Coordinates of all heavy atoms in Angstrom, one line a residue:
M1 N 5.0 8.5 -9.8 CA 3.9 8.9 -10.5 C 3.8 10.3 -10.9 O 2.6 10.9 -11.0 CB 2.7 8.5 -9.6 CG 2.5 7.0 -9.3 SD 1.1 6.3 -8.6 CE -0.3 7.3 -9.2
G2 N 4.9 10.9 -11.1 CA 4.8 12.3 -11.6 C 4.8 13.3 -10.7 O 4.8 14.6 -11.0
L3 N 4.9 13.1 -9.4 CA 4.9 14.1 -8.3 C 6.4 14.4 -8.0 O 7.0 13.7 -7.3 CB 4.2 13.7 -7.2 CG 2.6 13.3 -7.5 CD1 2.1 12.8 -6.1 CD2 1.9 14.6 -8.0
F4 N 6.9 15.6 -8.5 CA 8.3 15.8 -8.3 C 8.6 17.0 -7.3 O 9.7 17.3 -6.8 CB 9.0 16.1 -9.6 CG 8.9 15.0 -10.6 CD1 8.2 15.0 -11.7 CD2 9.7 13.8 -10.2 CE1 8.2 13.9 -12.6 CE2 9.7 12.8 -11.2 CZ 8.9 12.9 -12.3
S5 N 7.5 17.7 -7.1 CA 7.6 18.9 -6.1 C 6.3 19.1 -5.4 O 5.3 18.6 -5.8 CB 8.1 20.2 -7.0 OG 7.0 20.6 -7.8
T6 N 6.3 20.0 -4.3 CA 5.1 20.3 -3.6 C 4.2 21.1 -4.6 O 3.0 21.0 -4.2 CB 5.5 21.1 -2.4 OG1 6.2 22.2 -2.7 CG2 6.3 20.3 -1.5
F7 N 4.7 21.8 -5.6 CA 3.9 22.4 -6.6 C 2.9 21.4 -7.4 O 1.9 21.7 -7.9 CB 4.7 23.2 -7.5 CG 3.9 23.9 -8.5 CD1 3.1 25.1 -8.3 CD2 3.8 23.5 -9.9 CE1 2.3 25.8 -9.2 CE2 3.1 24.1 -10.9 CZ 2.3 25.2 -10.4
S8 N 3.4 20.2 -7.4 CA 2.7 19.2 -8.2 C 1.4 18.6 -7.5 O 0.6 18.0 -8.1 CB 3.6 17.9 -8.5 OG 4.7 18.3 -9.2
F9 N 1.2 18.8 -6.3 CA 0.1 18.3 -5.5 C -1.1 19.1 -5.8 O -1.1 20.3 -5.8 CB 0.3 18.2 -4.0 CG 1.5 17.1 -3.7 CD1 2.8 17.6 -3.6 CD2 1.2 15.8 -3.6 CE1 3.8 16.7 -3.2 CE2 2.1 14.9 -3.3 CZ 3.4 15.4 -3.1
L10 N -2.3 18.5 -5.9 CA -3.5 19.1 -6.1 C -4.5 18.8 -4.9 O -4.3 17.7 -4.3 CB -4.2 18.8 -7.3 CG -3.4 19.2 -8.5 CD1 -4.2 18.5 -9.8 CD2 -3.4 20.5 -8.8
K11 N -5.5 19.6 -4.6 CA -6.5 19.2 -3.7 C -7.4 18.2 -4.3 O -7.4 17.9 -5.5 CB -7.4 20.6 -3.3 CG -6.5 21.6 -2.7 CD -7.5 22.8 -2.4 CE -6.6 23.9 -1.8 NZ -7.3 25.1 -1.7
P12 N -8.1 17.4 -3.5 CA -9.0 16.4 -4.2 C -10.0 16.9 -5.0 O -10.6 18.1 -4.8 CB -9.7 15.9 -2.8 CG -8.9 16.2 -1.6 CD -8.1 17.4 -2.0
N13 N -10.1 16.3 -6.1 CA -11.0 16.6 -7.3 C -10.7 18.0 -7.9 O -11.5 18.4 -8.6 CB -12.5 16.6 -6.7 CG -12.9 15.3 -6.3 OD1 -12.6 14.2 -6.8 ND2 -13.7 15.3 -5.2
E14 N -9.5 18.5 -7.7 CA -9.1 19.7 -8.4 C -8.5 19.4 -9.7 O -7.6 18.4 -9.8 CB -8.1 20.5 -7.4 CG -7.5 21.6 -8.1 CD -6.5 22.5 -7.3 OE1 -6.2 21.9 -6.1 OE2 -6.1 23.5 -7.5
K15 N -8.9 20.1 -10.7 CA -8.3 19.8 -12.1 C -7.2 20.7 -12.4 O -7.3 21.9 -12.0 CB -9.6 20.1 -13.1 CG -10.7 19.2 -12.9 CD -10.4 17.9 -13.5 CE -11.7 16.9 -13.4 NZ -11.5 15.6 -13.9
R16 N -6.2 20.3 -13.0 CA -5.1 21.1 -13.5 C -5.3 21.5 -14.9 O -5.7 20.6 -15.7 CB -3.8 20.4 -13.2 CG -2.5 21.3 -13.5 CD -1.4 20.6 -12.8 NE -0.2 21.3 -13.2 CZ 1.0 21.2 -12.8 NH1 1.2 20.5 -11.8 NH2 1.9 21.9 -13.3
K17 N -5.0 22.7 -15.2 CA -5.4 23.2 -16.5 C -4.5 22.6 -17.6 O -5.0 22.5 -18.8 CB -5.3 24.7 -16.5 CG -6.3 25.4 -15.5 CD -6.2 26.9 -15.5 CE -7.2 27.5 -14.6 NZ -7.0 28.8 -14.4
D18 N -3.2 22.3 -17.3 CA -2.3 21.9 -18.4 C -2.4 20.4 -18.7 O -1.8 19.9 -19.5 CB -0.9 22.2 -18.0 CG -0.4 21.7 -16.8 OD1 -1.2 20.9 -16.1 OD2 0.6 22.0 -16.2
G19 N -3.3 19.6 -18.0 CA -3.4 18.3 -18.2 C -2.3 17.4 -17.9 O -2.3 16.2 -18.4
V20 N -1.4 17.7 -16.9 CA -0.2 16.9 -16.6 C -0.7 15.7 -16.1 O 0.0 14.6 -16.3 CB 0.6 17.7 -15.7 CG1 1.7 16.9 -14.9 CG2 1.3 18.8 -16.4
Y21 N -1.6 15.6 -15.2 CA -2.0 14.3 -14.5 C -2.8 13.4 -15.3 O -2.9 12.3 -15.0 CB -2.8 14.6 -13.3 CG -2.0 15.3 -12.3 CD1 -1.9 16.7 -12.1 CD2 -1.0 14.6 -11.4 CE1 -1.1 17.3 -11.2 CE2 -0.2 15.2 -10.6 CZ -0.3 16.5 -10.4 OH 0.5 17.2 -9.6
E22 N -3.3 13.8 -16.5 CA -4.1 12.8 -17.3 C -3.2 11.7 -17.9 O -3.7 10.6 -17.9 CB -4.7 13.6 -18.5 CG -5.6 14.6 -18.2 CD -6.9 14.1 -17.5 OE1 -7.3 13.1 -17.9 OE2 -7.4 14.8 -16.6
K23 N -1.9 11.9 -18.2 CA -1.1 10.9 -18.7 C -0.7 9.9 -17.6 O -0.3 8.7 -17.8 CB 0.2 11.4 -19.3 CG 1.0 12.2 -18.3 CD 2.3 12.6 -19.0 CE 3.3 13.4 -18.2 NZ 4.4 13.9 -18.8
F24 N -1.1 10.1 -16.1 CA -0.6 9.2 -15.1 C -1.9 8.4 -14.6 O -1.7 7.7 -13.7 CB 0.0 10.0 -14.0 CG 1.2 10.5 -14.3 CD1 1.6 11.9 -14.5 CD2 2.4 9.7 -14.6 CE1 2.8 12.5 -14.8 CE2 3.6 10.3 -15.0 CZ 3.8 11.6 -15.0
K25 N -3.0 8.6 -15.3 CA -4.2 7.9 -14.8 C -4.1 6.3 -14.8 O -4.4 5.6 -13.8 CB -5.5 8.3 -15.6 CG -6.0 9.7 -15.1 CD -7.4 9.9 -15.7 CE -8.0 11.0 -15.1 NZ -9.3 11.4 -15.5
D26 N -3.6 6.0 -15.9 CA -3.3 4.4 -16.0 C -2.4 3.9 -15.0 O -2.6 2.8 -14.5 CB -2.8 4.0 -17.4 CG -3.9 4.3 -18.5 OD1 -5.2 4.3 -18.1 OD2 -3.6 4.5 -19.7
E27 N -1.3 4.6 -14.9 CA -0.2 4.1 -13.9 C -0.8 4.2 -12.5 O -0.5 3.2 -11.7 CB 1.0 5.0 -14.0 CG 1.8 4.8 -15.1 CD 1.4 5.5 -16.4 OE1 0.3 6.2 -16.4 OE2 2.1 5.4 -17.5
E28 N -1.6 5.2 -12.1 CA -2.3 5.2 -10.8 C -3.2 4.1 -10.6 O -3.1 3.5 -9.5 CB -2.9 6.5 -10.7 CG -3.6 6.7 -9.4 CD -4.4 8.0 -9.3 OE1 -4.7 8.6 -10.2 OE2 -4.9 8.2 -8.0
K29 N -3.8 3.7 -11.6 CA -4.8 2.5 -11.5 C -4.0 1.2 -11.4 O -4.3 0.5 -10.5 CB -5.6 2.5 -12.8 CG -6.8 1.5 -12.6 CD -7.7 1.5 -13.8 CE -8.9 0.5 -13.6 NZ -9.8 0.5 -14.7
K30 N -2.9 1.1 -12.1 CA -2.1 -0.1 -12.0 C -1.5 -0.2 -10.6 O -1.5 -1.3 -10.0 CB -1.0 -0.1 -13.0 CG -1.4 -0.2 -14.5 CD -0.3 -0.2 -15.5 CE -0.8 -0.2 -16.8 NZ 0.2 0.0 -17.8
V31 N -1.0 0.9 -10.0 CA -0.4 0.9 -8.6 C -1.5 0.5 -7.6 O -1.2 -0.3 -6.7 CB 0.3 2.2 -8.3 CG1 0.7 2.3 -6.8 CG2 1.6 2.4 -9.3
L32 N -2.6 1.1 -7.8 CA -3.7 0.9 -6.8 C -4.2 -0.6 -6.8 O -4.4 -1.2 -5.8 CB -5.0 1.7 -7.1 CG -6.1 1.6 -6.1 CD1 -5.8 2.0 -4.8 CD2 -7.3 2.5 -6.7
N33 N -4.3 -1.2 -8.2 CA -4.7 -2.6 -8.3 C -3.7 -3.4 -7.6 O -3.9 -4.5 -7.0 CB -4.8 -3.0 -9.7 CG -6.2 -2.4 -10.1 OD1 -7.1 -2.1 -9.5 ND2 -6.2 -2.3 -11.5
F34 N -2.3 -3.2 -7.7 CA -1.2 -4.0 -7.2 C -1.3 -3.9 -5.8 O -1.2 -4.9 -5.0 CB 0.1 -3.5 -7.8 CG 1.2 -4.2 -7.0 CD1 1.7 -5.4 -7.4 CD2 2.0 -3.5 -6.2 CE1 2.7 -6.1 -6.8 CE2 3.2 -4.1 -5.5 CZ 3.5 -5.3 -5.9
Y35 N -1.5 -2.7 -5.2 CA -1.7 -2.5 -3.7 C -2.8 -3.3 -3.1 O -2.6 -4.1 -2.1 CB -1.8 -1.1 -3.3 CG -2.1 -0.8 -1.8 CD1 -1.2 -0.9 -0.9 CD2 -3.5 -0.5 -1.6 CE1 -1.6 -0.7 0.5 CE2 -3.9 -0.3 -0.2 CZ -2.9 -0.4 0.8 OH -3.1 -0.3 2.0
Q36 N -3.9 -3.3 -3.7 CA -5.2 -4.1 -3.4 C -4.8 -5.6 -3.5 O -5.3 -6.3 -2.6 CB -6.4 -3.5 -4.1 CG -6.8 -2.2 -3.8 CD -7.9 -1.8 -4.7 OE1 -8.1 -2.2 -5.7 NE2 -8.5 -0.6 -4.2
A37 N -4.2 -6.0 -4.5 CA -3.9 -7.4 -4.6 C -2.9 -7.8 -3.5 O -3.0 -9.0 -3.0 CB -3.1 -7.7 -6.0
C38 N -1.9 -7.1 -3.2 CA -1.0 -7.4 -2.0 C -1.8 -7.5 -0.7 O -1.6 -8.4 0.0 CB 0.1 -6.3 -1.9 SG 1.3 -6.4 -3.2
C39 N -2.7 -6.5 -0.5 CA -3.7 -6.6 0.7 C -4.4 -7.8 0.8 O -4.5 -8.5 1.9 CB -4.5 -5.4 0.8 SG -3.5 -3.8 1.2
R40 N -5.0 -8.2 -0.2 CA -6.0 -9.5 -0.3 C -5.0 -10.6 -0.1 O -5.4 -11.5 0.5 CB -6.5 -9.6 -1.7 CG -7.7 -8.7 -1.9 CD -8.5 -9.1 -3.1 NE -7.7 -9.0 -4.5 CZ -7.5 -8.0 -5.1 NH1 -8.2 -6.8 -4.7 NH2 -6.8 -8.0 -6.3
N41 N -3.7 -10.8 -0.6 CA -2.9 -11.8 -0.4 C -2.5 -12.0 1.0 O -2.5 -13.1 1.7 CB -1.6 -11.8 -1.4 CG -0.9 -13.1 -1.3 OD1 -1.4 -14.1 -1.1 ND2 0.5 -12.8 -1.5
I42 N -2.2 -10.9 1.6 CA -1.8 -10.9 3.0 C -3.0 -11.3 3.9 O -2.9 -12.2 4.8 CB -1.2 -9.5 3.5 CG1 0.1 -9.4 2.8 CG2 -1.2 -9.5 5.0 CD1 0.6 -7.9 3.1
R43 N -4.2 -10.9 3.6 CA -5.3 -11.2 4.5 C -5.7 -12.6 4.2 O -6.3 -13.3 5.2 CB -6.6 -10.3 4.1 CG -6.3 -8.9 4.6 CD -7.6 -8.0 4.3 NE -7.4 -6.8 4.5 CZ -7.4 -5.9 3.5 NH1 -7.7 -6.1 2.3 NH2 -7.1 -4.5 3.6
K44 N -5.5 -13.2 3.0 CA -5.8 -14.6 2.8 C -4.8 -15.5 3.4 O -5.3 -16.6 3.8 CB -5.8 -14.7 1.3 CG -6.2 -16.1 0.8 CD -6.2 -16.2 -0.7 CE -6.4 -17.7 -1.1 NZ -6.3 -17.7 -2.6
N45 N -3.6 -15.2 3.3 CA -2.6 -16.2 3.7 C -2.0 -16.1 5.0 O -1.1 -16.9 5.4 CB -1.5 -16.2 2.6 CG -1.9 -16.7 1.2 OD1 -2.7 -17.7 1.2 ND2 -1.7 -15.9 0.2
C46 N -2.2 -14.9 5.7 CA -1.7 -14.7 7.0 C -2.8 -14.6 8.1 O -4.0 -14.4 7.7 CB -0.8 -13.4 7.0 SG 0.6 -13.7 5.8
R47 N -2.5 -14.6 9.4 CA -3.5 -14.6 10.3 C -3.2 -13.2 11.2 O -2.0 -12.8 11.3 CB -3.5 -15.7 11.4 CG -2.3 -15.9 11.9 CD -2.5 -17.2 12.9 NE -1.1 -17.6 13.4 CZ -0.4 -16.9 14.3 NH1 -0.9 -15.8 14.7 NH2 0.8 -17.4 14.5
K48 N -4.1 -12.6 11.6 CA -4.1 -11.3 12.3 C -4.1 -11.5 13.9 O -5.0 -12.3 14.2 CB -5.2 -10.4 11.9 CG -5.0 -9.0 12.4 CD -6.2 -8.1 11.8 CE -6.1 -6.6 12.2 NZ -7.1 -6.0 11.5
D49 N -3.1 -11.0 14.5 CA -3.1 -11.2 15.9 C -4.0 -10.1 16.7 O -4.5 -9.3 16.0 CB -1.8 -11.3 16.6 CG -1.0 -10.0 16.4 OD1 -1.6 -9.0 15.9 OD2 0.2 -10.0 16.8
N50 N -4.1 -10.2 17.9 CA -4.9 -9.3 18.7 C -4.3 -7.8 18.7 O -5.1 -6.9 19.1 CB -5.2 -9.6 20.1 CG -3.9 -9.7 20.9 OD1 -2.7 -9.8 20.3 ND2 -4.0 -10.1 22.1
T51 N -3.2 -7.5 18.3 CA -2.6 -6.2 18.2 C -2.7 -5.6 16.7 O -2.4 -4.4 16.6 CB -1.1 -6.1 18.6 OG1 -0.4 -7.0 17.7 CG2 -0.9 -6.6 20.1
G52 N -3.1 -6.4 15.8 CA -3.3 -5.9 14.4 C -2.2 -6.4 13.4 O -2.2 -5.9 12.3
F53 N -1.3 -7.0 13.9 CA -0.1 -7.5 13.0 C -0.5 -8.8 12.4 O -1.2 -9.6 12.9 CB 1.1 -7.7 13.9 CG 1.9 -6.4 14.3 CD1 1.6 -5.9 15.6 CD2 2.6 -5.7 13.4 CE1 2.2 -4.9 16.2 CE2 3.2 -4.5 13.9 CZ 2.9 -4.1 15.2
Y54 N 0.0 -8.9 11.1 CA -0.3 -10.2 10.4 C 0.9 -11.1 10.5 O 2.0 -10.6 10.4 CB -0.6 -10.0 8.8 CG -2.0 -9.3 8.7 CD1 -2.3 -8.0 8.7 CD2 -3.0 -10.3 8.5 CE1 -3.5 -7.5 8.5 CE2 -4.4 -9.7 8.3 CZ -4.5 -8.4 8.3 OH -5.9 -8.0 8.2
H55 N 0.6 -12.4 10.7 CA 1.7 -13.4 10.9 C 1.5 -14.5 9.9 O 0.5 -14.9 9.7 CB 1.8 -13.9 12.4 CG 2.0 -12.9 13.3 ND1 3.3 -12.5 13.7 CD2 1.2 -12.2 14.2 CE1 3.2 -11.8 14.6 NE2 1.8 -11.4 15.0
G56 N 2.6 -14.9 9.2 CA 2.5 -15.9 8.4 C 3.2 -17.1 8.8 O 3.6 -17.3 10.0
V57 N 3.5 -18.2 8.0 CA 4.1 -19.5 8.3 C 5.5 -19.1 8.9 O 5.9 -19.9 9.9 CB 4.1 -20.3 7.0 CG1 4.9 -21.6 7.3 CG2 2.7 -20.6 6.5
G58 N 6.3 -18.3 8.3 CA 7.6 -18.0 8.7 C 7.7 -17.6 10.1 O 8.5 -18.0 11.0
S59 N 6.6 -16.8 10.6 CA 6.5 -16.3 11.9 C 6.1 -17.5 12.9 O 6.9 -17.6 14.0 CB 5.4 -15.2 12.0 OG 5.2 -14.9 13.4
D60 N 5.4 -18.3 12.4 CA 5.0 -19.4 13.3 C 6.3 -20.4 13.5 O 6.4 -21.0 14.5 CB 3.9 -20.2 12.6 CG 2.6 -19.5 12.7 OD1 2.5 -18.6 13.4 OD2 1.8 -19.8 11.8
L61 N 7.0 -20.6 12.4 CA 8.3 -21.6 12.4 C 9.3 -21.0 13.5 O 9.9 -21.7 14.1 CB 8.9 -21.7 11.1 CG 8.0 -22.5 10.0 CD1 8.7 -22.5 8.7 CD2 7.8 -24.0 10.7
L62 N 9.4 -19.6 13.5 CA 10.4 -19.0 14.4 C 9.9 -19.3 15.8 O 10.7 -19.4 16.7 CB 10.4 -17.5 14.1 CG 11.3 -17.2 12.9 CD1 11.3 -15.6 12.7 CD2 12.7 -17.7 13.0
S63 N 8.7 -19.2 16.1 CA 8.1 -19.3 17.5 C 8.3 -20.7 17.9 O 8.4 -21.1 19.1 CB 6.7 -18.9 17.6 OG 5.8 -19.7 16.7
E64 N 8.2 -21.7 16.9 CA 8.5 -23.1 17.3 C 9.8 -23.5 17.8 O 10.1 -24.4 18.6 CB 8.1 -24.0 16.1 CG 6.7 -24.1 15.8 CD 6.3 -24.9 14.5 OE1 7.2 -25.5 14.0 OE2 5.1 -25.0 14.2
I65 N 10.9 -22.7 17.3 CA 12.3 -23.0 17.7 C 12.7 -22.1 18.9 O 13.8 -22.0 19.2 CB 13.2 -22.9 16.5 CG1 13.2 -21.5 15.9 CG2 12.9 -23.9 15.4 CD1 14.3 -21.2 14.9
G66 N 11.7 -21.3 19.4 CA 12.1 -20.5 20.4 C 12.4 -19.0 20.2 O 12.8 -18.5 21.2
V67 N 12.3 -18.5 19.1 CA 12.5 -17.1 18.8 C 11.3 -16.4 19.2 O 10.2 -16.6 18.8 CB 13.0 -16.9 17.3 CG1 13.1 -15.4 17.0 CG2 14.1 -17.7 17.0
E68 N 11.5 -15.4 20.1 CA 10.5 -14.5 20.6 C 10.0 -13.5 19.6 O 10.8 -12.9 18.9 CB 10.9 -13.8 21.9 CG 9.8 -13.1 22.6 CD 10.4 -12.3 23.9 OE1 11.3 -13.0 24.4 OE2 9.8 -11.3 24.2
K69 N 8.6 -13.4 19.4 CA 8.0 -12.4 18.6 C 8.0 -11.1 19.3 O 7.7 -11.0 20.3 CB 6.6 -12.8 18.2 CG 6.5 -14.0 17.3 CD 5.1 -14.3 17.0 CE 4.9 -15.5 16.2 NZ 3.4 -15.8 16.0
L70 N 8.4 -10.0 18.6 CA 8.5 -8.7 19.2 C 7.2 -8.0 18.8 O 6.9 -7.9 17.5 CB 9.7 -8.0 18.8 CG 11.1 -8.6 19.1 CD1 12.2 -7.7 18.5 CD2 11.3 -8.7 20.8
Q71 N 6.5 -7.3 19.7 CA 5.5 -6.5 19.4 C 5.8 -5.2 19.9 O 6.0 -4.8 21.0 CB 4.1 -7.1 20.1 CG 3.9 -8.4 19.6 CD 3.2 -8.5 18.2 OE1 2.7 -7.5 17.8 NE2 3.3 -9.5 17.6
F72 N 5.7 -4.2 19.1 CA 6.0 -2.8 19.4 C 4.7 -2.0 19.7 O 3.7 -2.2 19.2 CB 6.6 -2.1 18.2 CG 8.0 -2.7 17.9 CD1 8.1 -3.6 16.8 CD2 9.1 -2.4 18.7 CE1 9.3 -4.0 16.5 CE2 10.3 -3.1 18.4 CZ 10.4 -3.8 17.3

């Protein structure tokens, strides 16, 4: 997303005078939308256990054949 060095980082709501970040606004929005869609899909199709991990169908199939789930 255009961040190549520590000099590229800005404080929240800080404007850069040369307009470098203006060209990345669309890409940032696309990445954020993709991330949110992934989160919605995981929450919809997986179940959350009491430790906060999400488990799907594959995890359940492994436990049926005797493979132990590891919780860190």
Side-chain angles (χ1 to χ4, degrees):
M1 294 194 29
L3 302 176
F4 298 110
S5 69
T6 55
F7 177 73
S8 299
F9 293 97
L10 296 174
K11 295 177 184 176
N13 299 322
E14 182 180 359
K15 299 284 185 184
R16 189 164 168 166
K17 295 177 183 175
D18 58 6
V20 160
Y21 291 99
E22 295 299 319
K23 65 181 179 179
F24 294 111
K25 279 190 175 185
D26 291 336
E27 286 81 0
E28 180 183 12
K29 187 173 182 178
K30 289 176 188 176
V31 170
L32 183 61
N33 286 339
F34 175 73
Y35 170 76
Q36 291 172 343
C38 290
C39 291
R40 283 191 302 271
N41 186 32
I42 290 170
R43 288 185 197 114
K44 178 182 175 185
N45 296 312
C46 300
R47 62 181 165 72
K48 189 175 184 179
D49 66 8
N50 58 356
T51 59
F53 289 98
Y54 284 90
H55 298 279
V57 176
S59 177
D60 295 335
L61 292 175
L62 287 176
S63 64
E64 288 176 6
I65 61 171
V67 177
E68 185 179 328
K69 294 180 185 177
L70 297 177
Q71 297 290 336
F72 299 100

